[in-house]
Amino acid sequence: MSSYTELVKKQRDFYLSGGTADLAGRKKRLEKFKTLLTTHKKELDDSIFADLHRSSFSDVDSTLQEVVGTLDNIDAWTAPKKVPVGGPQLSADTDSLYLVPEPLGVVLIISPWNFPLVTSASLAAALAAGNTVIVKPSELDPTFSAVFAKLVAKYFDEKEFAVVEGGIPETTELLKERFDHILYTGCPPVAKIIMAAAAKHLTPVTLELGGKNPVFVDESADLSLLAQGIVFAKLLNAGQICICADYILTTPSMKPKIIAALSSAFDALGDMSKVKENARIVNDRHFQRLMGLLQKTKGKVAYKAVGEISQADKFIPAHLIDVEAEDEFMKEEVR
C-alpha cells in the first residue's frame, strides 16, 4: 500500500495544463478505449468468468455500446448551448448567453464486483467531458482487476487514465486525496464512508446504491410475464444484480398463483447447478451470509428449486420463502 498523492497530482497537472480540453484528444482517448475493449474482449470476458463464473452476459458488449454512444453524441454534448436572455441588465438585441460545458478535473470511479466493467463504464462519459480518470475495481474480482489494470496501463498514460488495484486499505488511502468528482456503485454502508471522505474536500459524489427491491403483484398481473422477468433476473449473475426482485408483495388470493407460476418457471430450467455457464455466488463470505439468512429465517419455504446447496461450488438453488416483515430476510439486501 502506498500514497496516491503523486498519481492524483500527475493527473491534476495534466488537466490544469489543458491536456484534456481539446475535443479531438478526448475522441482519441475514447477510440483508444474502444480499441482496448474490442481487441481484448475475450481476455476481459474470461477474467470476469474466472471471478463470477458468468458468461450469459458480456460486460464488454454493454460497455462498448456506452463508448460508441458517447462518441456518437460527444459533439452535441460538448457544444455551447444558447439560452434566452433575461433580466433588466441584458438585452436580447445586444447580448447573447450560452451554457458552455467545462471539465471538472480528476474523477474517481469506485466499481463493485457484480458487473465490474459495466459499472466502470461511466469512465467513457468522464473522458468525453475532458476529465482524467482513476478507476478502483473491487478486490472481490481479482482476475478482472489485474487484467483491466494491465490493459489500461498498456493503452493509456496514467496521467490521463489509471487503474488502482487493492482492497480496503488501498481504497482508504485513495480517498484521502482530493478529487473533483467521485462515482460509486455499491452498498449504503460503504457509500457513507465515501461521502465522509469526500466531504473533507467538498467533493461532489454520485452514488448508485443497492437496497431492498420489491415487486408488487395484484389481480391484474400477467403471471407468465411476471415469472419470466423474476426468473431472468435471478439467473443473471446468480441474482447478484440491482434489478433482481428481492421480495414480493401481493394479496392473499394471488399468493398461491404466484408461487405456482414461479415454481413452474424454475422447474422448467432443471438443475442449474449442472449448468456450468450459470453464475455462482461471488465468494465464500457471501455464500455464508446467504446461508445464515436461510438458517435464521422464521419463514416457511414454499418452494425450493432442484439442485443441492454446495459450499464448494458456491451454489444455492432458488427458494421461495413466505416471511413476515420482521424476518431476517427483510433486514438486508438479498443478493
Side-chain angles (χ1 to χ4, degrees):
M1 186 182 66
S2 62
S3 168
Y4 298 104
T5 302
E6 183 179 345
L7 173 60
V8 174
K9 182 180 184 302
K10 186 179 293 187
Q11 289 208 352
R12 179 159 284 110
D13 287 346
F14 181 59
Y15 161 71
L16 291 174
S17 73
T20 64
D22 179 55
L23 187 57
R26 301 184 201 182
K27 292 179 180 179
K28 183 177 180 181
R29 283 185 281 278
L30 287 170
E31 289 288 358
K32 197 184 300 184
F33 186 49
K34 179 181 173 184
T35 300
L36 182 158
L37 294 172
T38 54
T39 304
H40 301 280
K41 172 177 164 55
K42 185 178 187 306
E43 187 176 0
L44 288 164
D45 282 340
D46 287 349
S47 72
I48 292 172
F49 184 84
D51 292 328
L52 290 165
H53 212 277
R54 165 166 56 79
S55 62
S56 59
F57 174 90
S58 171
D59 277 45
V60 176
D61 290 344
S62 183
T63 305
L64 268 171
Q65 290 179 2
E66 186 78 15
V67 176
V68 171
T70 302
L71 283 166
D72 288 344
N73 290 281
I74 188 171
D75 289 316
W77 291 344
T78 57
K81 295 174 178 60
K82 193 170 185 178
V83 295
V85 174
Q89 286 79 33
L90 299 174
S91 168
D93 295 328
T94 58
D95 300 303
S96 298
L97 293 180
Y98 291 87
L99 287 176
V100 182
E102 294 287 346
L104 286 172
V106 183
V107 173
L108 172 64
I109 299 171
I110 303 175
S111 61
W113 50 264
N114 60 341
F115 288 86
L117 186 55
V118 167
T119 53
S120 301
S122 53
L123 71 90
L127 291 173
N131 303 291
T132 64
V133 177
I134 295 175
V135 171
K136 169 60 185 67
S138 171
E139 69 276 15
L140 301 187
D141 294 314
T143 312
F144 167 78
S145 182
V147 168
F148 192 51
K150 177 194 70 175
L151 293 176
V152 169
K154 176 181 177 182
Y155 279 79
F156 291 89
D157 189 308
E158 67 176 6
K159 69 183 180 184
E160 54 187 4
F161 177 21
V163 173
V164 170
E165 291 192 89
I168 294 174
E170 289 76 14
T171 305
T172 302
E173 285 298 306
L174 198 55
L175 287 170
K176 291 178 181 178
E177 304 299 328
R178 181 177 72 83
F179 293 93
D180 298 291
H181 201 94
I182 298 174
L183 298 94
Y184 168 70
T185 302
C187 62
V190 175
K192 292 176 182 179
I193 296 171
I194 291 170
M195 284 199 75
K200 294 178 182 178
H201 303 289
L202 297 180
T203 298
V205 298
T206 299
L207 306 174
E208 196 279 302
L209 306 179
K212 302 299 285 180
N213 190 14
V215 175
F216 176 72
V217 185
D218 65 12
E219 281 73 11
S220 68
D222 181 333
L223 293 182
S224 175
L225 185 62
L226 171 81
Q228 179 184 339
I230 289 179
V231 170
F232 170 78
K234 282 294 180 186
L235 291 182
L236 181 60
N237 212 39
Q240 300 167 126
I241 178 174
C242 59
I243 64 168
C244 183
D246 198 276
Y247 63 100
I248 298 172
L249 297 169
T250 191
T251 63
S253 64
M254 287 297 291
K255 183 162 73 172
K257 299 176 184 178
I258 294 170
I259 292 172
L262 288 172
S263 299
S264 177
F266 279 114
D267 284 343
L269 297 170
D271 187 351
M272 292 306 294
S273 69
K274 306 297 184 185
V275 181
K276 295 307 177 185
E277 295 77 18
N278 187 49
R280 298 300 194 263
I281 298 165
V282 65
N283 60 17
D284 189 62
R285 179 170 67 86
H286 280 280
F287 177 89
Q288 295 293 352
R289 177 180 62 83
L290 293 170
M291 286 303 300
L293 293 175
L294 275 174
Q295 291 161 5
K296 293 175 185 176
T297 182
K298 292 181 172 57
K300 175 186 175 182
V301 177
Y303 169 80
K304 173 184 171 294
V306 295
E308 297 303 318
I309 294 172
S310 170
Q311 182 174 351
D313 195 29
K314 297 192 286 294
F315 175 81
I316 301 174
H319 287 64
L320 294 176
I321 305 175
D322 190 358
V323 302
E324 300 296 329
E326 300 77 20
D327 194 80
E328 290 296 320
F329 271 108
M330 299 301 291
K331 294 179 180 178
E332 63 177 90
E333 193 175 357
V334 183
R335 301 279 189 268

